[in-house]
Amino acid sequence: GQQVMQIPQYQHVQEGEDFTTYCNSSTTLSNIQWYKQRPGGHPVFLIQLVKSGEVKKQKRLTFQFGEAKKNSSLHITATQTTDVGTYFCAGPNRDDKIIFGKGTRLHILP
Amino acid sequence: NAGVTQTPKFQVLKTGQSMTLQCAQDMNHNSMYWYRQDPGMGLRLIYYSASEGTTDKGEVPNGYNVSRLNKREFSLRLESAAPSQTSVYFCASGVGLSSYNEQFFGPGTRLTVL
């Protein structure tokens, strides 16, 4: 069935370094959402991208939607300890219901 | 507004025992969802409800039943718990089923089946 694939599964970075996670689909997506889950917490919606080539920023976070609407990325500039957690992308399946990727777990080394 | 609430927060069961996980939302949302989260597996949809009175199977429904009691409440029942059902369970709600609608998650129930 429809899947959104996320890479990498885990990422360790030094505090202050940048971080990027990627989300890929074999089919065109009408939209994509990103969520963040802090350790021990629950997923929280961050943003939705809808347009081809769309770029949105939230402070140090930059979200991109590919031109073909088959991939997306989340880039964090100068990571901080508050960025620790798991980042999920979510896209629609054929029935227009959200399917979550398996997430990228970010660890920050002080 | 409390958002999405879940009870209990933690539960330990013995194999074969039954229990019901409760979920309620106060955002007047139409759609509600139950997910399980296991290490390395992301969020897997168990059941969902498009609106009061309707429920549908998700990706991993075996061993579970659900009830959409009213617009606010959506419960998940394990009739005969198995160790494979050890997981963190999240309830979520949204305005509607469309993928354009964001989902709001509850704090989760951490279930261990011995």
Side-chain angles (χ1 to χ4, degrees), chain B residues 11-25:
Chain B
Q11 183 71 50
V12 179
L13 294 177
K14 294 181 180 179
T15 297
Q17 287 185 316
S18 62
M19 80 160 294
T20 299
L21 281 64
Q22 307 287 353
C23 174
Q25 52 91 9

Side-chain angles (χ1 to χ4, degrees), chain B residues 57-107:
Chain B
K57 295 178 180 179
E59 181 186 356
V60 289
N62 291 347
Y64 306 94
N65 286 300
V66 290
S67 295
R68 184 75 184 266
L69 305 169
N70 47 55
K71 192 170 187 179
R72 291 186 65 250
E73 298 172 290
F74 188 36
S75 62
L76 178 72
R77 183 161 178 83
L78 287 70
E79 290 291 351
S80 179
S84 61
Q85 293 178 305
T86 293
S87 188
V88 180
Y89 291 87
F90 289 103
C91 176
S93 71
V95 169
L97 279 185
S98 168
S99 67
Y100 287 92
N101 297 315
E102 67 180 275
Q103 293 188 15
F104 295 80
F105 285 79

Side-chain angles (χ1 to χ4, degrees), chain A residues 5 17 47 77:
Chain A
M5 307 299 292
E17 290 183 340
I47 209 160
T77 303

Side-chain angles (χ1 to χ4, degrees), chain A:
Chain A
Q2 172 88 31
Q3 286 188 4
V4 286
M5 307 299 292
Q6 268 189 268
I7 53 171
Q9 190 174 3
Y10 301 97
Q11 183 81 58
H12 293 79
V13 299
Q14 290 287 144
E15 187 175 4
E17 290 183 340
D18 293 357
F19 159 77
T20 304
T21 174
Y22 301 90
C23 185
N24 299 303
S25 169
S26 58
T27 60
T28 301
L29 301 171
S30 59
N31 70 93
I32 196 157
Q33 297 180 7
W34 285 92
Y35 291 76
K36 177 183 178 180
Q37 182 179 23
R38 294 181 186 275
H42 58 276
V44 175
F45 174 81
L46 292 176
I47 209 160
Q48 182 179 61
L49 304 172
V50 178
K51 298 177 183 177
S52 169
E54 188 170 16
V55 178
K56 287 187 176 180
K57 293 190 176 184
Q58 291 179 350
K59 297 182 180 178
R60 294 177 294 103
L61 277 61
T62 301
F63 302 84
Q64 290 190 316
F65 203 8
E67 293 290 339
K69 300 181 77 172
K70 288 186 176 182
N71 54 72
S72 181
S73 64
L74 159 58
H75 180 82
I76 302 178
T77 303
T79 54
Q80 299 176 359
T81 54
T82 54
D83 297 323
V84 166
T86 301
Y87 294 85
F88 294 97
C89 64
N93 65 7
R94 286 188 185 84
D95 299 323
D96 195 36
K97 294 182 184 59
I98 291 177
I99 301 293
F100 284 84
K102 293 186 177 181
T104 295
R105 184 178 293 182
L106 173 63
H107 296 268
I108 308 287
L109 304 171

